[in-house]
Amino acid sequence: MSGVWCEAGWIRGRGVLEGVRLEVDASGIVTRMKTGTKPEPADVRLSGVAFPAAANAHSHAFHRVLRGRTHDMGVGSFWSWREQMYKAAGALTPEVYEQLATAVFAEMVVAGFTSVAEFHYVHHRPDGTPYGPESGGEHAMELALARAAVNARIRLTLLDTCYLAGGIGQPLAPEQARFGDADAQAWLTRLQSLRETVARKFGPDQVTVGAALHSVRGVPAEALPDIAEQLPADLPLHIHLSEQPAENQACLQATGMTPTALLHRHGLLTDRLSAVHATHLTEADIALLGRAHATIVMCPTTEADLADGIGPAAKLRDAGARIALGTDQHAVVDPWLEMRALEHGERLRSGQRGWFRPEDLHQSATDSGALSLGRKSAGFRPGSYADLMAVDPASVRTVGSRPDQLALTATAQDVTAVVVSGRLAARHGIHATLGDPARLLAAAIERVDDAGARAVGRHGEPSVSAADGVSA
């Protein structure tokens, strides 16, 4: 049994209380909480105000290499950005991706995220062939992400993604070949093999496997019935949903239904579904998602960066859906800014304030996110993971704030410490075991850039090496 003592702690329904002490068992679970206490000698001590740590409900780790590189001439769209994303994906090998993901996950931890849903579709070699024994086996990419998460001390829900088409009625493009499987049955078979492999190698509090459908663009409608029938009922299921108007238009033209209605028709719209973005919805879509009590994963800073639009978060909540938060392409890695942007989006849309109370914002960042990941919540309650983030209430950004309103003023720069399973994981932006994430990211991004340069031959054609899946 170990202990964590907080100078002050935000307790849901009770506000900010002083002298909060947690007793934590060997598996990192809170067994007892006391308030108005003093620390014991061996306790981890957190100054400032401690909050439940955040759950990042949508991540593409390799997108981090695009930060600050996609704004040339101030023009472009989601679709032009996507072409740059494909180039970054083409540079990845298991070894390169493990290094990059370790750095990205470390950046998340020091910001206050202690769990993440990695929406993963870079499965195979760039030419679409599986990795072999010499490169770590069929699940080489997936296991690289799992090792990265363990090294960074973040809880990983690895969402193995079904990606079968390059668009509605279109085959995968060459740059998408490594994302795909032969058909839905091949994906389901590989998914089961991955679940068994991960269960042998990692504890469930470290790494679990969930499922994702890339989108209705990436998974043909005729594949949905088999997936709905055969996908194990205990798996979280995520999908990019109505991120772009063009996606909705193509789906309507091909099926006569919106993407939401198509999922509903095939029995995939349930309370285990996490719909990512859900930006461009009809009123009927909102009602269907609400009645299903689906989780909607908003990624406000990414949606702003890509000019996707502002999703109807408050309408979805009022209809019965849960709202969780993710960092998606990692233009920003900061749970506090995601929380704030959720409320600000509604203010910009409506011209009114006060759509999400601070308590609602923390609910989205913690409990709703954990549910989306298929995990226990983080926080102070017995039975929760002893995962906390402590915030300085007297920084230049937060000074003068009411402690229970820090969600409207704090940023990741104000996170003074992060605790995972009752153990210190980061302090003042430095990871407890990996050091400075900026140093890790610099080395990893340089390596991705070098791999990308090697992946393009003298005439601009990729030359794939059988040994590692990149150009020689």
Side-chain angles (χ1 to χ4, degrees):
M1 193 74 69
S2 60
V4 179
W5 181 83
C6 310
E7 181 180 14
W10 178 82
I11 313 299
R12 189 178 311 284
R14 300 175 63 184
V16 176
L17 304 179
E18 295 185 359
V20 180
R21 185 175 187 275
L22 303 181
E23 292 181 0
V24 184
D25 69 16
S27 61
I29 304 299
V30 177
T31 59
R32 188 181 183 191
M33 180 188 76
K34 296 177 66 176
T35 62
T37 67
K38 295 187 180 297
E40 296 189 8
D43 286 352
V44 175
R45 302 187 186 195
L46 302 180
S47 60
V49 182
F51 292 83
N56 188 344
H58 190 63
S59 164
H60 301 290
F62 77 91
H63 290 191
R64 175 60 180 82
V65 302
L66 301 176
R67 185 189 294 178
R69 296 181 168 193
T70 62
H71 306 275
D72 293 349
M73 302 299 292
V75 298
S77 66
F78 166 83
W79 306 102
S80 59
W81 170 90
R82 192 174 68 155
E83 296 306 312
Q84 297 183 63
M85 179 271 288
Y86 287 149
K87 292 179 181 178
L92 299 176
T93 67
E95 185 180 8
V96 169
Y97 205 4
E98 182 173 348
Q99 181 179 354
L100 175 62
T102 299
V104 175
F105 292 155
E107 182 181 10
M108 291 182 195
V109 169
V110 303
F113 290 110
T114 61
S115 60
V116 60
E118 181 63 25
F119 198 108
H120 168 66
Y121 49 79
V122 189
H123 303 302
H124 311 299
R125 301 177 190 274
D127 66 355
T129 58
Y131 283 95
E134 76 287 352
S135 299
E138 179 186 18
H139 306 304
M141 280 296 208
E142 291 74 25
L143 294 177
L145 287 167
R147 291 190 298 269
V150 171
N151 289 337
R153 294 177 59 186
I154 196 167
R155 306 180 195 279
L156 174 65
T157 298
L158 181 59
L159 299 171
D160 194 86
T161 301
C162 182
Y163 202 142
L164 304 177
I168 295 177
Q170 301 175 19
L172 291 170
E175 62 269 21
Q176 298 169 320
R178 72 185 312 183
F179 306 162
D181 292 288
D183 52 31
Q185 192 60 55
W187 171 66
L188 288 162
T189 300
R190 189 175 56 75
L191 173 65
Q192 181 58 31
S193 173
L194 175 62
R195 294 184 72 194
E196 294 168 358
T197 300
V198 167
R200 286 196 305 269
K201 293 178 176 288
F202 303 95
D205 289 329
Q206 294 180 315
V207 184
T208 58
V209 175
L213 310 180
H214 180 269
S215 59
V216 298
R217 302 191 315 271
V219 180
E222 56 268 25
L224 297 179
D226 287 343
I227 291 171
E229 179 181 355
Q230 297 183 49
L231 193 66
D234 61 332
L235 287 188
L237 176 63
H238 290 223
I239 186 171
H240 294 124
L241 187 74
S242 291
E243 183 178 5
Q244 295 293 322
E247 173 187 320
N248 291 347
Q249 293 161 8
C251 190
L252 282 165
Q253 184 174 1
T255 69
M257 290 175 281
T258 66
T260 300
L262 184 64
L263 296 180
H264 175 65
R265 177 180 181 179
H266 292 293
L268 291 165
L269 203 61
T270 70
D271 60 0
R272 75 157 167 178
L273 182 73
S274 290
V276 182
H277 303 305
T279 307
H280 303 282
L281 301 176
T282 67
E283 294 297 325
D285 292 338
I286 293 170
L288 284 171
L289 289 160
R291 283 200 297 270
H293 302 298
T295 299
I296 309 302
V297 183
M298 299 287 190
C299 305
T301 62
T302 286
E303 289 147 9
D305 183 77
L306 296 180
D308 284 346
I310 301 171
K315 283 187 174 182
L316 284 159
R317 174 202 59 192
D318 293 345
R322 295 176 292 265
I323 307 298
L325 295 169
T327 62
D328 194 355
Q329 59 144 340
H330 316 306
V332 173
V333 174
D334 187 328
W336 301 87
L337 291 182
E338 300 295 346
M339 284 190 279
R340 193 134 71 248
L342 182 64
E343 166 66 14
H344 287 177
E346 291 299 319
R347 294 182 183 185
L348 289 169
R349 178 206 304 282
S350 67
Q352 297 179 356
R353 305 172 81 236
W355 293 90
F356 290 89
R357 301 169 301 168
E359 183 168 346
D360 299 330
L361 298 176
H362 286 291
Q363 173 80 22
S364 292
T366 56
D367 291 351
S368 295
L371 187 64
S372 176
L373 272 64
R375 292 197 174 275
K376 297 181 180 73
S377 293
F380 297 91
R381 296 187 301 266
S384 301
Y385 286 128
D387 292 4
L388 305 173
M389 53 179 172
V391 174
D392 180 1
S395 76
V396 70
R397 289 163 294 278
T398 61
V399 65
S401 302
R402 282 174 42 181
D404 60 351
Q405 293 191 20
L406 285 167
L408 280 303
T409 60
T411 72
Q413 289 179 281
D414 303 307
V415 174
T416 58
V418 178
V419 167
V420 178
S421 295
R423 297 169 52 217
L424 188 69
R427 195 177 289 280
H428 296 294
I430 302 299
H431 196 279
T433 55
L434 297 175
D436 185 358
R439 175 182 57 81
L440 301 175
L441 286 161
I445 292 170
E446 181 179 10
R447 190 170 183 189
V448 173
D449 288 345
D450 289 346
R454 292 196 306 272
V456 179
R458 182 174 300 175
H459 301 292
E461 296 294 332
S463 175
V464 178
S465 162
D468 61 11
V470 298
S471 62

